[in-house]
Amino acid sequence: MKLKRIVLLIAVCLQALSLAAAPRIIRPGVKSATTFAIFIDSRSYDAAAAEVDAYRAAVERDGLGTYLLIDTWQNPESVRSEIVRMTEARPPLEGVVFIGDIPVAMIRDAQHLTSAFKSSQDRDWKDSSVPSDRYYDCPDLRFELIARDSTDRLLSYFNLACDSPQQLAPAFYSGRIRYPEQLGGDKYEEIARYLEKVVAERGKVDQLDCLVTYAGDGYNSDCLVCWMDERIALDANFP
């Protein structure tokens, strides 16, 4: 009888831990053919809850149902598992944005998928790995965890598996809103200020009259043919 009580107590504790580890999920407030998702860490949300909620409301005013997922995200796998679950749901996911301290996948053995990054992998891993959110928006790719970074808790190193597809085919769009701490100041205040600006801009009816584009030094920035083709593409998108 005593053994049964111990087993039951362990089961209850494990269940409590699993519930505690689950992210807080706020479901969309409007119905739409596809959905959007905001992933944010708990500290960033606590510091900028009003601004994040206003941003989510602005997206939903455009008719796009938006999830809000809040957690102390520990590793890329925890984020990816939620994304995979959402891509399999109905209505399907069309895009995500990562706000604040969301884990970063540092990919190795995948330089053949980059456009301009080439480096010896004998160098320091931070310098020779590719930080890439294709870990999240290309769910068909398969990865093998190598290690967690010893100094930056947000970084985890993965190999692109040999039996993985070897081409990029994002299932949805993705982006990040993150303040570079090297700039100094309070990163949470800066994120809140940026979201205020985003919400204000979404409320404007404006016309694009100035656009700046940069291709990157050592890539195609010196190729006049590329620039000529880009001009044609821009004219087609912004007549």
Side-chain angles (χ1 to χ4, degrees):
M1 192 70 179
K2 187 175 181 181
L3 179 61
K4 287 184 177 179
R5 288 179 179 176
I6 293 174
V7 171
L8 180 60
L9 180 60
I10 292 173
V12 170
C13 290
L14 289 174
Q15 184 179 19
L17 286 172
S18 65
L19 290 174
R24 176 186 172 195
I25 301 176
I26 300 174
R27 299 184 62 82
V30 299
K31 291 185 178 180
S32 53
T34 56
T35 59
F36 182 66
I38 301 170
F39 284 77
I40 188 170
D41 67 282
S42 300
R43 289 190 64 184
S44 294
Y45 184 72
D46 290 342
E51 291 78 10
V52 173
D53 292 344
Y55 169 59
R56 177 172 176 266
V59 175
E60 291 204 326
R61 281 196 295 272
D62 288 341
L64 181 58
T66 302
Y67 286 91
L68 177 60
L69 294 91
I70 310 161
D71 198 7
T72 52
W73 305 99
Q74 297 297 319
N75 51 60
E77 297 96 312
S78 61
V79 179
R80 195 177 202 233
S81 65
E82 288 296 330
I83 289 176
V84 169
R85 181 184 61 79
M86 297 174 77
T87 56
E88 295 172 349
R90 291 290 179 271
L93 192 67
E94 77 162 55
V96 301
V97 63
F98 304 121
I99 300 179
D101 294 331
I102 304 299
V104 177
M106 305 288 285
I107 311 301
R108 300 180 65 76
D109 293 343
Q111 292 187 28
H112 56 289
L113 299 181
T114 67
S115 56
F117 182 87
K118 298 293 181 282
S119 172
S120 170
Q121 292 195 157
D122 293 332
R123 298 174 59 201
D124 180 87
W125 279 18
K126 275 188 180 177
D127 296 330
S128 60
S129 303
V130 182
S132 177
D133 284 339
R134 302 297 78 74
Y135 176 87
Y136 296 123
D137 57 28
C138 290
D140 291 339
L141 298 183
R142 290 187 288 277
F143 299 91
E144 300 165 343
L145 176 65
I146 309 172
R148 311 292 184 196
D149 193 90
S150 59
T151 58
D152 189 335
R153 69 172 187 82
L154 291 181
L155 305 185
S156 295
Y157 297 90
F158 297 85
N159 277 333
L160 179 66
C162 294
D163 60 351
S164 169
Q166 300 295 313
Q167 61 183 9
L168 301 178
F172 48 86
Y173 56 84
S174 67
R176 279 188 183 255
I177 299 174
R178 185 182 181 190
Y179 182 74
E181 296 186 31
Q182 296 90 335
L183 296 180
D186 188 310
K187 64 180 180 180
Y188 302 112
E189 289 182 2
E190 296 300 331
I191 288 175
R193 287 181 56 204
Y194 175 77
L195 290 174
E196 285 181 347
K197 289 164 59 178
V198 170
V199 172
E201 287 298 320
R202 292 185 73 92
K204 293 180 181 179
V205 177
D206 204 355
Q207 180 177 348
L208 181 69
D209 55 11
C210 180
L211 183 145
V212 177
T213 180
Y214 175 63
D217 183 51
Y219 180 33
N220 63 6
S221 57
D222 300 323
C223 178
L224 296 181
V225 174
C226 290
W227 282 109
M228 180 174 62
D229 290 344
E230 183 166 356
R231 166 67 186 273
I232 295 172
L234 292 173
D235 282 347
N237 283 283
F238 303 105

